[in-house]
Amino acid sequence: MDVNRCILHIDLDAFFVSVEQALAPDLAGKPAVVGGRPDRRGVVASASYEARVFGIRAGMPLAQAYRLCPQAIFLQGSFPAYRDASEKFMTILADFSPSLEPAGLDEAYLDVTGCELFGTPFQIASSIKGRVKKELKLIASVGIASCKIVAKIASDLGKPDGLVEVAAGQEKDFLATLPVASIPGIGTKTEQSLKKMGIKTVGQLAVLPLEIVKNRFGSFGLMIHRYANGIDDRDVEPPGQAKSISRETTFAQDTSDKNFLQAMLQYLCERVGAELRQQTKHARTITLKLRYSDFETITRRFSSKEAIDADESIFAGAVKLLEQALRGKRKPVRLIGIGVSNLVSYGKQLNLLDSTPQRLEHLDKAIDRIRNKYGFTAIQTGRTLLLKDIFSRREGDHILETPSLYR
Ligand code: TTP
Ligand code: MG
């Protein structure tokens, strides 16, 4: 606990769907789902709270969502609109404190320590909610606490339209009765393991002897134990220090076709590369994510001393990881994703760091310019031509790839 800090966690309610509802007010108050047509494969990305009454949840197959609520409105989704809303949301937050850390498109941490000028933390949270509602027609849920983890759990607990403040010193009491799954990072697997140990609430986890959590869950165990005790030293880190950039996509059909996988990988590398260059960053680490048909999910990482930003360099690393990952595996692939991290900013060291051949640099720059003007798929390169059919089948706005949530 740090009584000196005051951190807000702000998360928009039913983000994708709420943006759709703000754009088409006749959707307001109705069960609606973003993710695509229910007769296609794919999962629910976002469900309105009206749809959640029927049991629909993010991550659920669309077909199941349809069975639960056939009258729900199923929307394809339009990523540019979400990005636009996200940027406006972050701009509002930045008015309240320079210490702003976006943690996703629709969520952010804001350190308001010493921001008395704008009022008490509760008043700041209320002002944020008011501006988001008025200017974006969206609803924000806010948690206020002395550390990130408690602020995040508090914003989640109050949803929808929440505003929950946890007074300094009350963190442990606040968490004690909540189910362990309230702690971000504790998924079904850990939840089940803890249950077998007789641990159901955060309070029970908090008092477990350290040796037991360490032996059972390693360093992850120590982290959730600290969180369960309301202890989280992480600072709010503004995006200058952005940690990673990633893109992933789920296939319409599971596939073992190596050429196709490589084509999609190249496309995703190009998306990541474009974003990297837009942020004027270089990356030292590449991470491949694969989900197989049976939902087994793996990540493979590669780091080098050299920091890169060229599409071709990212792809070269990624394709090696893909080959390693597929070696000896028979299972078809359901999802593929690529991320870069360990980012460094362009700066005086550019010449030292940047060993990208000039040819590649010019090529990427030229392609970036055209894509910025005419859209990303205006140019398709090399093996991504294989994906032409996919691009042409998907009409209008579509979510082919989403920034992945490697959390
Ligand atoms: P969340 O904030 O987790 O979900 P949400 O905003 O839809 O609902 P709420 O916060 O009220 O519980 O995620 C933000 C957006 O990220 C969400 O609107 C859609 C996208 N997303 C996916 O694409 N896939 C997912 O599995 C999840 C959880 C979210
Ligand atoms: Mg949200």
Side-chain angles (χ1 to χ4, degrees):
M1 178 198 43
D2 181 345
V3 286
N4 294 315
R5 286 196 306 172
C6 182
I7 294 173
L8 267 50
H9 179 263
I10 309 107
D11 187 296
L12 298 173
D13 292 349
F15 178 49
F16 285 7
V17 156
S18 301
V19 172
E20 301 290 346
Q21 288 174 324
L23 290 172
D26 55 318
L27 291 174
K30 293 183 184 156
V33 165
V34 167
R37 277 172 37 186
D39 57 342
R40 301 266 177 89
R41 284 174 41 123
V43 294
V44 173
S46 178
S48 69
Y49 278 80
E50 294 83 3
R52 293 185 204 191
V53 173
F54 295 86
I56 298 179
R57 294 287 178 274
M60 175 182 280
L62 289 165
Q64 190 184 347
Y66 181 77
R67 282 196 296 276
L68 287 169
C69 183
Q71 71 274 32
I73 300 153
F74 289 84
L75 303 157
Q76 189 69 49
S78 55
F79 201 67
Y82 309 147
R83 179 171 299 223
D84 184 51
S86 173
E87 278 168 11
K88 291 186 174 131
F89 168 55
M90 298 299 170
T91 307
I92 292 176
L93 299 182
D95 281 346
F96 291 87
S97 163
S99 185
L100 166 69
E101 178 186 334
L105 281 177
D106 80 327
E107 67 169 305
Y109 294 96
L110 194 67
D111 192 327
V112 297
T113 312
C115 295
E116 293 83 10
L117 195 66
F118 295 107
T120 63
F122 192 89
Q123 285 165 339
I124 295 176
S126 304
S127 305
I128 290 173
K129 283 170 69 75
R131 280 195 57 189
V132 168
K133 192 167 184 182
K134 186 158 175 252
E135 295 171 32
L136 306 179
K137 299 189 177 66
L138 297 174
I139 305 293
S141 288
V142 186
I144 308 171
S146 62
C147 65
K148 279 177 156 183
I149 196 75
V150 178
K152 182 166 169 79
I153 293 171
S155 75
D156 201 44
L157 199 70
K159 273 178 178 292
D161 202 5
L163 204 185
V164 176
E165 180 169 14
V166 182
Q170 300 298 309
E171 296 83 355
K172 264 175 92 160
D173 289 346
F174 165 73
L175 297 173
T177 56
L178 302 178
V180 285
S182 315
I183 296 182
I186 298 194
T188 328
K189 238 171 139 182
T190 313
E191 189 186 5
Q192 290 309 318
S193 309
L194 286 167
K195 201 172 162 192
K196 279 190 196 134
M197 298 161 71
I199 309 295
K200 286 187 190 159
T201 66
V202 177
Q204 289 172 317
L205 172 58
V207 296
L208 257 192
L210 267 181
E211 299 81 62
I212 297 183
V213 276
K214 188 167 181 215
N215 288 341
R216 183 65 190 76
F217 302 105
S219 57
F220 173 71
L222 296 178
M223 184 183 79
I224 56 174
H225 190 265
R226 274 198 307 276
Y227 287 174
N229 281 283
I231 298 168
D232 179 5
D233 299 329
R234 291 173 303 160
D235 283 323
V236 173
E237 292 186 50
Q241 301 139 38
K243 292 272 162 51
S244 67
I245 297 169
S246 55
R247 292 288 186 278
E248 66 180 39
T249 191
T250 302
F251 298 122
Q253 255 170 10
D254 299 343
T255 179
S256 302
D257 181 341
K258 250 188 164 172
N259 289 333
F260 179 72
L261 285 169
Q262 287 193 1
M264 186 54 85
L265 189 64
Q266 173 158 359
Y267 170 76
L268 295 171
C269 286
E270 288 177 4
R271 294 228 75 138
V272 166
E275 174 90 30
L276 195 58
R277 291 188 294 280
Q278 206 197 349
Q279 292 192 22
T280 58
K281 296 265 169 61
H282 280 64
R284 288 209 179 91
T285 301
I286 301 175
T287 304
L288 171 81
K289 175 174 169 185
L290 286 181
R291 179 165 298 142
Y292 296 103
S293 49
D294 61 358
F295 281 83
E296 184 200 351
T297 306
I298 61 156
T299 54
R300 294 285 177 266
R301 208 168 291 253
F302 164 80
S303 292
S304 78
K305 263 198 200 141
E306 192 186 337
I308 54 168
D309 80 336
D311 292 345
E312 202 167 302
S313 313
I314 301 169
F315 178 69
V319 83
K320 264 189 217 151
L321 292 171
L322 179 67
E323 274 163 15
Q324 282 165 17
L326 293 180
R327 203 167 294 153
K329 280 266 185 193
R330 288 280 146 94
K331 287 187 283 193
V333 174
R334 177 182 169 84
L335 169 152
I336 188 164
I338 194 76
V340 292
S341 56
N342 228 329
L343 306 185
V344 289
S345 291
Y346 282 158
K348 288 198 181 103
Q349 279 184 302
L350 183 62
N351 292 338
L352 282 179
L353 289 172
D354 185 13
S355 61
T356 312
Q358 275 207 334
R359 179 186 66 82
L360 287 185
E361 206 180 311
H362 290 317
L363 182 66
D364 282 341
K365 271 196 183 141
I367 291 179
D368 288 345
R369 263 200 306 277
I370 294 170
R371 284 177 166 164
N372 285 337
K373 203 160 169 192
Y374 300 107
F376 202 88
T377 52
I379 287 197
Q380 284 158 49
T381 61
R383 51 178 73 69
T384 68
L385 285 168
L386 260 182
L387 307 175
K388 232 180 169 149
D389 278 357
I390 296 188
F391 293 136
S392 60
R393 267 208 308 277
R394 301 199 181 210
E395 297 136 18
D397 284 336
H398 59 266
I399 313 169
L400 179 60
E401 77 299 309
T402 50
S404 49
L405 306 161
Y406 296 178
R407 284 179 189 161

